[in-house]
DNA sequence: ACCTGAACACCGTTCAAGT
DNA sequence: ACCTGAACACCGTTCAAGT
């Protein structure tokens, strides 16, 4: 009898905890994800989680590992540039499915095995392309978070803190914003309106995130290719 | 008499709150900065702060504004490339004095006037250099957080979460780490050792952050210069 | 071996009251 | 006009106890 009831809630284990945490974060965002809330979701008392995860930091580490596991492995038999490009765009798709993951990734203080594994195979793509260790090192820094398929966009319109849809702005408020912008930030306004001339909003970001991401990625990849062809070495510190 | 005592603790105002918050964050880090702790530092009950700052988010906004105020204005009469470069490096010095500011900046959900002002004058440097609105827009995205003098470095060794110095690693632990790295992450190890061959550590980042920052910055600036010279326009979407 | 309950030391913020 | 005190609804985590 009690066994029957127990079966309706299978034994907790690390994996079930992590999967539930990822699902919960996907649903409600990272802010409301607390140990207590997660426990509740699993029909368990908060302290039960601590048998499977040392503390909240380790929970977040585990969640990151789950997400990284979803990134495609490198495609075989292509040149380094397309391998890198495709991998980055795959990572991007994954991180976009788990909006919270970007921020959590940024707050990890030391890399988990999954993170190191990803970096290792990423570096391997440059090595396979004949890059020197030296150039590869600098290139990894230059690519930075783009390696994970995102860039640090301050104030990206899609990322509201509470996970709600952006609040609709009343027309008169929009007009007032426009006034203030044109008086104080004419350059910002010019760029913003040019970027969103085909959608209705004035200050909202009407620009194509994916295009911007690829623009910057290709700018970097082309620069990197040039350095590689020139057999650039850092010890000489020449102008690029 | 009571007036005498009151003079030893001058009236609170918004500026005093923000200055104290910045000083406290500089000292103890952003984690321990709570409304309660800040109030204590100001010899005041927590709720007293709420007369000068609507809530904690607004406090953080204000702190960001204080920091941005320390960035040098653009130097006059130089070409766009050196103007941008110098400004970014000035921002970098400021953000390095206030280590917490990077993370706080990243969590702002909508820009404060100081942020908009900085962006506006940043965009102005490209306009003054003859850039089209279109190219300027994409360039701003590509530069991203580098505009503020930092890049999103996951796991940078200087940023421990608690603000303590990195824990010293016992030699035998270091040896074990080396073993594990060479077995599982040979590429990471190769890059890491090459970068730190002149300092003692094996896995610690012995690389020159400033060099890496400028490497990536110049890679971008050179690519941007090339596009500008070619009068690149996004509507044609040519290969870069 | 795994889960529970009660407790501790924190948060940000509200409300009504004091001066 | 500004500051206070008590309270509320949350946190992560400890410890000792249950099964």
């Amino acid at each position: 009898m009690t066994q029957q009831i127990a079966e309706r809630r299978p034994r907790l284990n690390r994996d079930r905890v992590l999967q539930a945490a990822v699902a919960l974060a996907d649903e409600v965002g990272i802010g409301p994800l607390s140990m207590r809330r997660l426990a509740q979701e699993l029909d368990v008392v908060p302290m039960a989680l601590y048998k499977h995860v040392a503390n909240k930091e380790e929970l977040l580490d585990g969640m990151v590992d789950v997400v990284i596991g979803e990134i495609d492995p490198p495609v075989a038999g292509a040149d380094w540039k397309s391998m890198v490009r495709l991998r980055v765009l795959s990572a991007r798709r994954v991180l976009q499915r788990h909006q919270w993951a970007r921020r959590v990734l940024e707050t990890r203080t030391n890399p988990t095995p999954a993170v190191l594994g990803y970096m290792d195979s990423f570096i391997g793509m440059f090595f396979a392309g004949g890059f020197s260790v030296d150039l590869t090192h600098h290139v990894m820094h230059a690519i930075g978070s783009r390696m994970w398929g995102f860039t640090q966009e301050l104030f990206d319109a899609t990322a509201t803190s509470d996970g709600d849809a952006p609040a609709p702005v009343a027309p008169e408020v929009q007009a007032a914003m426009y006034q203030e912008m044109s008086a104080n930030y004419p350059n910002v306004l010019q760029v913003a309106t040019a970027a969103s001339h085909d959608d209705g909003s004035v200050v909202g970001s009407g620009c194509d995130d994916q295009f911007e991401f690829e623009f910057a990625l290709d700018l970097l990849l082309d620069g990197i290719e040039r350095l590689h062809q020139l057999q650039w070495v850092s010890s000489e510190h020449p102008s690029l």
Side-chain angles (χ1 to χ4, degrees), chain A:
Chain A
M1 183 69 136
T2 49
Q3 216 161 348
Q4 281 275 62
I5 290 166
E7 264 175 340
R8 296 185 8 97
R9 195 190 76 199
R11 261 279 199 61
L12 227 50
N13 58 44
R14 192 165 203 273
D15 207 59
R16 248 172 55 77
V17 170
L18 296 183
Q19 295 297 341
V22 167
L24 185 55
D26 283 348
E27 194 189 336
V28 302
I30 200 67
L33 181 96
S34 64
M35 297 298 277
R36 296 171 115 107
R37 173 86 186 256
L38 175 58
Q40 184 183 294
E41 214 76 14
L42 286 162
D43 262 320
V44 116
V45 92
M47 281 315 299
L49 301 176
Y50 286 79
K51 266 271 120 61
H52 305 100
V53 128
N55 49 39
K56 193 175 183 183
E57 282 297 289
E58 205 190 283
L59 175 75
L60 294 172
D61 283 347
M63 291 170 69
V64 164
D65 284 1
V66 169
V67 168
I68 291 175
E70 297 177 12
I71 303 175
D72 292 332
V75 298
D79 60 302
W80 70 265
K81 209 174 171 185
S82 11
M83 278 177 78
V84 168
R85 199 169 192 285
L86 285 173
R87 194 104 200 269
V88 165
L89 295 179
S90 166
R92 180 172 175 81
R93 284 189 301 272
V94 171
L95 278 265
Q96 262 168 350
R97 281 206 297 274
H98 308 288
Q99 299 273 13
W100 49 270
R102 207 187 70 178
R103 196 154 296 273
V104 173
L105 203 50
E106 288 166 2
T107 61
R108 298 309 78 208
T109 48
N110 41 16
T112 63
V115 166
L116 281 169
Y118 181 74
M119 285 176 148
D120 199 70
S121 94
F122 206 94
I123 291 169
M125 292 187 287
F126 289 107
F127 284 176
F131 278 62
S132 72
V133 174
D134 177 50
L135 182 54
T136 303
H137 170 229
H138 302 308
V139 155
M140 288 294 287
H141 276 282
I143 288 186
S145 66
R146 248 173 282 261
M147 167 169 94
W148 300 98
F150 66 90
T151 28
Q152 180 55 52
E153 301 268 11
L154 299 179
F155 323 119
D156 119 30
T158 66
T160 53
S161 60
D162 43 19
D164 291 341
V169 184
E172 66 272 21
V173 175
Q174 214 170 70
M177 281 169 85
Y178 190 95
Q179 285 287 348
E180 210 215 295
M181 295 285 284
S182 75
N184 300 317
Y185 319 110
N187 298 329
V188 170
L189 185 64
Q190 229 183 119
V191 167
T193 49
S196 61
H197 67 276
D198 29 35
D199 91 342
S201 72
V202 174
V203 268
S205 128
C207 75
D208 181 346
D209 283 346
Q210 185 70 22
F211 177 79
E212 300 311 335
F213 183 83
E214 294 188 29
F215 173 88
L217 178 62
D218 290 332
L219 199 58
L220 283 166
L221 290 179
D222 289 344
I224 289 164
E225 185 172 43
R226 208 169 292 118
L227 294 183
H228 181 42
Q229 280 161 356
L230 293 171
Q231 309 215 46
W232 183 93
V233 286
S234 68
S235 54
E236 298 173 11
H237 287 206
S239 75
L240 309 175

